[in-house]
Amino acid sequence: MPTIRVELFEGRTPQHKQALARELTEACVRVLGGSADAVDVVFYDIRRHDWATGGVLWSEKTAPKPAGG
């Protein structure tokens, strides 16, 4: 079965990661078959200054403003 690598910005709670791991595992079992015990999910917390999109570090991007504000 698969090993799923999840890269995301640091700051997610263990509860968020647990919920995502559960959903990813259930999807793999549903689509691929097999046992949930055979699905591995590995989380990599990335700091915003270690990730760039379009040549711009995420630490340099401004946070989006809420609608109406």
Side-chain angles (χ1 to χ4, degrees), residues 3 12-13 22 36-37 40-41 46 54 68-69:
T3 298
R12 301 317 199 290
T13 66
R22 185 174 28 254
D37 291 337
D40 291 313
V41 179
I46 310 295

Side-chain angles (χ1 to χ4, degrees), residues 40-67:
D40 291 313
V41 179
V42 182
F43 292 97
Y44 292 87
D45 291 330
I46 310 295
R47 293 180 176 177
R48 289 182 172 269
H49 67 264
D50 290 330
W51 193 319
T53 301
V56 179
L57 293 174
W58 277 92
S59 60
E60 300 300 317
K61 295 181 180 232
T62 57
K65 296 186 181 198

